[in-house]
Amino acid sequence: MSDKKDEKRLDEIISLTINTGKPRFDPEKWKQKYPEEFQMLQSMSQKDSRTRQPSIWRTVRQRPITKIAAAAAVIIIAIGFFIVHQRPSEQADTTTVSKVTESLPEMLTVASLNIAYRKGGLEAAEAQFEKVHHKRKTQATGMSAQELLEDFNG
Amino acid sequence: MQVYNSERWAGDVQKLEKEEPVLQKPDLTLVERACNGDADSFTELCRRYYPAMVAIAHSVIGDRHLAEDAAQQTFAKAVRKLPQLKNKDKFAAWLAAICRNVALDLARSRGMHQTADDLSMIAAKTHKSDITDIVKEAINELSAPAREVIFLRYYDGMTYEQISAVLGISEQAINGRLRRAKKKMANYLRHSGFGEV
């Protein structure tokens, strides 16, 4: 007998020995036999719908690209906040500077007091203050910049 | 000749429309749906893989009735382990691994697990009257993986592609395993007095 025929015969014998009819799955019987598992399977959908609601974080964690995008978004938001919070203080600084520059005689008064203090200490500063105060009191319009600059030497 | 009335036709069409979406879906879609608690998808997966699971369990236990019990138990265990399934595209191989363990546990609990040596000793003691008995002995002489392939191939006439999905190995590997198993069986049958098989 040829090899092919032998193989065919062997196939037939094996099939005859093993094949005892196609097994068929009965879902109803299985449900009855394993009710706990069937309930567990159904509860998965409820569990899933409950966990699906806050899905943004899950979506972010799923892929590396979304993680990077989320990190970038957080950084941008942080920078934005930083910029917004920085602005008011800068504005405050500019207003104080403008206030000082607006009243030049006052600024020069302070400067002249400072110079007097450096040169002769507290007494010299007091004397300068008295002098300036007296001069500003006598002149209703206040001292001019020229007059104050003259006093700079204390 | 069969007469098809309109009501029956409409009923059959509705039935087909209901059944086809699940029946035609690929395994991966069904597995994903089953993981989300879709009982119909899981049932369809059970239907698809029940014969293969029975074949695997039969190759371990050696009893058809118990093999069916093992296959059903496999699906029950699979439901419990479904959230742990990482590679959803390898569902069949994952199921087969569960089935092997279930069948081994069942065989151990019933004292049915027999090694090839045990079976050859039994075979030596018993009278070899029928060729199917000799074939059974020849199958029991095979290693567990070879026996599994033989059962999958001849139980339900599964294709190499289907066996490949269940065992998680290539079709070439299945072909090689099947050839070696059959060669070994042919040798056993020749030595047992069946010269031409």
Side-chain angles (χ1 to χ4, degrees):
Chain A
M1 214 183 272
S2 68
D3 283 353
K4 270 195 173 181
K5 274 189 177 177
D6 280 354
E7 205 179 327
K8 206 180 173 187
R9 176 93 205 281
L10 184 63
D11 284 344
E12 282 171 6
I13 295 166
I14 297 170
S15 194
L16 196 76
T17 311
I18 292 175
N19 195 355
T20 49
K22 190 182 177 178
R24 289 194 182 277
F25 180 69
D26 188 342
E28 293 308 315
K29 267 189 181 177
W30 185 80
K31 281 173 202 172
Q32 283 173 3
K33 203 172 177 181
Y34 300 98
E36 207 178 302
E37 278 77 9
F38 184 67
Q39 270 190 341
M40 194 181 272
L41 184 67
Q42 284 183 318
S43 68
M44 274 180 199
S45 61
Q46 290 161 5
K47 205 176 173 183
D48 187 65
S49 62
R50 261 184 272 137
T51 50
R52 212 180 267 175
Q53 277 173 346
S55 63
I56 298 163
W57 184 236
R58 259 194 181 185
T59 317
V60 166
R61 284 194 303 173
Q62 268 173 358
R63 288 180 182 179
I65 191 82
T66 48
K67 280 183 193 175
I68 294 164
V74 168
I75 291 165
I76 289 164
I77 290 165
I79 290 168
F81 264 106
F82 182 74
I83 291 164
V84 168
H85 282 281
Q86 278 295 312
R87 264 189 192 157
S89 60
E90 279 173 10
Q91 279 170 352
D93 286 349
T94 50
T95 48
T96 48
V97 168
S98 64
K99 264 184 186 175
V100 171
T101 48
E102 268 172 15
S103 57
L104 186 65
E106 280 173 18
M107 195 182 82
L108 288 170
T109 305
V110 174
S112 70
L113 283 169
N114 190 15
I115 291 162
Y117 176 76
R118 281 183 186 175
K119 278 190 173 179
L122 196 62
E123 283 178 10
E126 272 179 4
Q128 180 65 15
F129 176 77
E130 287 289 325
K131 204 174 170 183
V132 171
H133 182 69
H134 178 73
K135 276 190 178 179
R136 289 198 73 179
K137 216 178 178 181
T138 50
Q139 293 176 8
T141 52
M143 287 175 81
S144 67
Q146 186 64 38
E147 283 172 321
L148 282 163
L149 280 169
E150 280 170 11
D151 287 338
F152 254 39
N153 290 330
Chain B
M1 198 177 149
Q2 198 179 18
V3 180
Y4 234 103
N5 63 41
S6 60
E7 276 180 31
R8 196 175 156 196
W9 172 259
D12 281 1
V13 167
Q14 272 186 341
K15 199 180 169 187
L16 272 172
E17 278 172 352
K18 271 183 186 176
E19 283 175 0
E20 269 182 354
V22 179
L23 290 172
Q24 287 179 348
K25 293 284 174 203
D27 279 8
L28 188 62
T29 313
L30 291 176
V31 174
E32 279 169 352
R33 283 185 178 185
C35 286
N36 291 332
D38 185 2
D40 287 343
S41 296
F42 188 76
T43 306
E44 178 53 26
L45 284 168
C46 292
R47 249 191 219 118
R48 278 183 198 181
Y49 290 107
Y50 187 66
M53 295 307 118
V54 174
I56 289 172
H58 200 160
S59 78
V60 175
I61 304 168
D63 181 273
R64 165 74 187 253
H65 185 71
L66 280 175
E68 291 214 28
D69 279 352
Q72 286 171 19
Q73 210 176 310
T74 299
F75 296 134
K77 218 168 184 179
V79 170
R80 288 181 181 274
K81 288 188 172 183
L82 212 51
Q84 294 167 29
L85 176 63
K86 283 178 186 170
N87 296 328
K88 291 184 174 69
D89 54 334
K90 287 179 180 170
F91 174 78
W94 175 76
L95 203 64
I98 296 172
C99 186
R100 254 173 242 129
N101 291 330
V102 168
L104 279 169
D105 288 345
L106 207 65
R108 266 187 223 121
S109 69
R110 302 205 175 200
M112 288 182 74
H113 188 52
Q114 290 168 320
T115 62
D117 291 338
D118 297 335
L119 287 161
S120 57
M121 275 170 70
I122 295 163
K125 285 175 191 170
T126 53
H127 181 64
K128 297 167 187 174
S129 59
D130 195 1
I131 190 160
T132 52
D133 290 338
I134 306 292
V135 172
K136 277 178 189 173
E137 284 166 21
I139 290 167
N140 287 326
E141 281 288 320
L142 298 171
S143 66
R147 202 161 53 229
E148 210 171 71
V149 171
I150 288 283
F151 266 85
L152 285 166
R153 179 70 177 150
Y154 293 97
Y155 213 88
D156 190 30
M158 281 175 79
T159 62
Y160 281 21
E161 195 186 350
Q162 287 169 323
I163 299 170
S164 166
V166 171
L167 297 183
I169 54 173
S170 68
E171 288 178 39
Q172 285 85 357
I174 287 158
N175 188 33
R177 205 179 274 186
L178 206 57
R179 274 189 176 195
R180 283 191 295 277
K182 277 163 78 176
K183 202 176 174 184
K184 211 175 170 185
M185 282 179 73
N187 284 336
Y188 186 89
L189 291 172
R190 266 188 216 110
H191 284 295
S192 305
F194 292 89
E196 289 179 349
V197 280

